[in-house]
Amino acid sequence: MSEADWPWPDAPEPLPSPVVDNHCHLDHRIKGGLLIDVEDALDRAAAVNVDRIVQVGCDLEGSRWAVETARQHEAIVAAVALHPNEAPLLEQAGTLDAALAEIEALAQDPTVRAVGETGLDYFRTGVDGRAAQHRSFRAHIDVARRHDRTLVIHDRDAHDDVLAILDDQGVPERTVMHCFSGDADVARRCLDRGAYLSFSGTVTFKNAEPLREALAVTPTDRILVETDAPFLTPTPHRGRPNASFLVPYTVRFMAEFLGRSVDDLCRAIDENTDRAFGGSWPRHTPAV
């Protein structure tokens, strides 16, 4: 498929200061089965001042790919994990322990900044799969703590249990609530545990008032931004594949909602991301 066939919208106006897309899935195919070209994705993003990316693995194949891609592109760092919906399938196959052992081995690669996305998902996995999700989540928390990696949490319809397991297992030094989906009360409970809250394009959706209330109570030094690309495309392009170069829509929406200048929010997000992921890493410069 040629570039002319790509379903991307026009690029938004560049942000005044750089930010990081702290949660992206460049390995996921988009409309028409198209596989993303990583260098092109980096160029498009950097052209609008989104000049660094955290590539997130959701299974063994994706985690291996994240590490290999981060080795090849210095503006990308990796996160490795088994998605909570993977855990019951692996448990049923008798391979969960082996998969967790490989995730721990991958987590020790120097390109890896985070263990995630892990957590709990009660939307897609029924009651019978919860025990496996809990066991997998606990194991990922342990890996993050022992290897000084950021914990990236997927929490869907499971707020109370996510926080209970975190409390029981011990909250890692750096924790990110990926694609934060709770209300203001859940936000406060996460913040009380030292977590960073990462907001995606969902904060721009018309029906996301509870999420915007959560954003309103989040201190500026705990706010992150992400795409979860190719999913959760922000307004005005909801329904089309998402990409890191669309982050400016989300950042500008958040700045307007919070009554902040876009530049100030960008600078805060960039600094927050460095702290959340254990330090800075090189920025990408678009090809001329």
Side-chain angles (χ1 to χ4, degrees):
M1 186 176 293
S2 70
E3 184 173 338
D5 297 318
W6 284 49
W8 301 131
D10 292 338
E13 179 184 350
L15 293 168
S17 296
V19 298
V20 184
D21 178 359
N22 86 91
H23 197 109
C24 188
H25 301 287
L26 291 167
D27 55 323
H28 285 223
R29 293 180 181 271
I30 59 172
K31 187 175 181 181
L34 180 63
L35 186 62
I36 302 298
D37 178 270
V38 175
E39 196 66 31
D40 180 72
L42 286 168
D43 285 349
R44 288 173 182 269
V48 297
N49 244 343
V50 181
D51 58 5
R52 295 182 291 164
I53 291 173
V54 181
Q55 168 63 25
V56 179
C58 291
D59 54 23
L60 287 180
E61 182 180 0
S63 294
R64 295 173 192 137
W65 192 92
V67 170
E68 184 58 35
T69 301
R71 288 172 179 170
Q72 296 173 11
H73 302 275
E74 64 178 7
I76 295 176
V77 296
V80 298
L82 307 174
H83 190 281
N85 290 327
E86 282 287 301
L89 302 177
L90 295 168
E91 182 80 276
Q92 186 175 15
T95 58
L96 180 56
D97 287 333
L100 288 168
E102 182 170 348
I103 291 297
E104 177 162 12
L106 288 168
Q108 296 174 65
D109 189 281
T111 65
V112 174
R113 294 294 185 96
V115 172
E117 59 188 279
T118 181
L120 304 177
D121 189 321
Y122 291 172
F123 179 77
R124 296 190 184 281
T125 296
V127 174
D128 291 346
R130 291 184 182 179
Q133 286 196 356
H134 290 193
R135 186 161 80 86
S136 178
F137 186 29
R138 288 179 183 275
H140 282 82
I141 296 171
D142 183 56
V143 170
R145 284 168 54 87
R146 286 190 290 105
H147 298 289
D148 191 27
R149 297 296 189 254
T150 302
L151 183 70
V152 175
I153 296 177
H154 171 108
D155 169 15
R156 189 166 188 185
D157 297 346
H159 307 313
D160 290 343
D161 284 355
V162 162
L163 296 179
I165 289 174
L166 268 178
D167 289 344
D168 184 59
Q169 202 72 17
V171 183
E173 182 177 347
R174 300 180 304 279
T175 300
V176 173
M177 304 303 296
H178 147 60
C179 190
F180 182 76
S181 60
D183 58 16
D185 177 65
V186 175
R188 292 187 185 97
R189 293 164 67 192
C190 293
L191 292 164
D192 286 345
R193 290 160 173 82
Y196 293 85
L197 307 189
S198 181
F199 294 89
S200 71
T202 54
V203 76
T204 72
F205 295 175
K206 289 183 179 179
N207 62 349
E209 191 58 35
L211 185 56
R212 289 187 281 275
E213 292 171 359
L215 174 62
V217 303
T218 304
T220 303
D221 65 357
R222 300 284 193 88
I223 295 173
L224 305 179
V225 71
E226 66 172 90
T227 56
D228 198 26
F231 314 108
L232 307 181
T233 310
T235 304
H237 297 296
R238 187 177 181 183
R240 301 182 72 176
N242 202 1
S244 297
F245 80 92
L246 298 178
V247 161
Y249 288 112
T250 304
V251 173
R252 286 195 166 90
F253 181 95
M254 292 196 298
E256 181 177 2
F257 175 79
L258 294 170
R260 299 284 304 275
S261 78
V262 176
D263 186 53
D264 284 350
L265 185 59
C266 286
R267 292 177 186 275
I269 288 171
D270 204 56
E271 293 171 2
N272 296 345
T273 310
D274 285 347
R275 289 196 306 274
F277 286 88
S280 188
W281 64 94
R283 302 180 186 276
H284 182 75
T285 301
V288 178

